[in-house]
Amino acid sequence: QQQVKQSPQSLIVQKGGISIINCAYENTAFDYFPWYQQFPGKGPALLIAIRPDVSEKKEGRFTISFNKSAKQFSLHIMDSQPGDSATYFCAGVFNQGGKLIFGQGTELSVKP
Amino acid sequence: EPEVTQTPSHQVTQMGQEVILRCVPISNHLYFYWYRQILGQKVEFLVSFYNNEISEKSEIFDDQFSVERPDGSNFTLKIRSTKLEDSAMYFCASSAGGGSTDTQYFGPGTRLTVL
């Protein structure tokens, strides 16, 4: 019930293309959905986040689309760049205590 | 920019030994967390800590694990008797508040290898 399922496990995109990563959740007690970006040798860092009462949030080239009825959300990276190559984790956060439940992660590689 | 630091970056230990992983959270943060990531798997919540008490712990966080804030700056995770399956990357995180929208800032991690 606490799971967040993420796909694909890995993704290869050409420079300038659109990267799309999908997540689904079961637990309706989540009330915030962040995406974290992790570079090799570093800890995860917050990239962008959305509340479930919002259907879309855009920050620069990064957009979250959220479908509350389907319990699904996705990250779109427009004009993907080699510097975007990293592992991306979606997560759900419980209101009480802020515990993060992460998806399995997507390793993105953007080819020049 | 303030950041969470962790030491050591890599710890190798023998099965059954005790290890202490250390973290220095961001100075004005009040909420502290430990997560772990087994190689190739997702990041998993271990424990949250606030006001010198454990707020929540996962089923992974059994009696072999303990956390402590021994002074005003450090936050430690102790594993009393390490097992092979404790081998993982351990991340410390801190946040200013404990709500869902309060950003958790992660340290670079400590890679624990149990032989």
Side-chain angles (χ1 to χ4, degrees), chain A residues 50-87:
Chain A
I50 196 167
R51 298 195 74 109
D53 54 350
V54 175
S55 61
E56 185 175 281
K57 183 172 181 181
K58 184 175 181 179
E59 290 184 359
R61 296 184 294 108
F62 300 90
T63 300
I64 302 176
S65 297
F66 194 89
N67 185 330
K68 189 174 181 178
S69 61
K71 296 181 188 173
Q72 294 175 348
F73 59 111
S74 60
L75 175 69
H76 294 232
I77 306 174
M78 311 301 287
D79 186 27
S80 298
Q81 300 295 313
D84 297 330
S85 297
T87 299

Side-chain angles (χ1 to χ4, degrees), chain A residues 4-47:
Chain A
V4 177
K5 295 181 180 179
Q6 183 173 347
S7 64
Q9 188 174 350
S10 63
L11 182 61
I12 299 174
V13 173
Q14 291 296 316
K15 179 182 173 183
I18 302 173
S19 304
I20 302 174
I21 305 170
N22 300 299
C23 287
Y25 65 98
E26 295 278 335
N27 199 323
T28 55
F30 292 139
D31 73 350
Y32 201 54
F33 296 89
W35 285 87
Y36 278 78
Q37 180 187 55
Q38 184 182 26
F39 291 106
K42 302 286 189 182
L46 179 66
L47 180 65

Side-chain angles (χ1 to χ4, degrees), chain A residues 3 31-32 36 38 41-44 46 51 89 93-100 102-104, chain B residues 33 35 37 40-45 48 56 91 98-101 103-109:
Chain A
Q3 265 193 324
D31 73 350
Y32 201 54
Y36 278 78
Q38 184 182 26
K42 302 286 189 182
L46 179 66
R51 298 195 74 109
F89 294 94
V93 191
F94 291 99
N95 183 42
Q96 296 294 328
K99 177 172 72 174
L100 282 161
F102 284 94
Q104 291 90 336
Chain B
Y33 308 84
Y35 294 83
Q37 185 178 29
Q41 298 185 24
K42 65 179 179 180
V43 179
E44 299 175 290
F45 169 81
S48 58
E56 187 172 359
F91 292 105
S100 58
T101 60
T103 300
Q104 292 182 31
Y105 293 85
F106 283 75

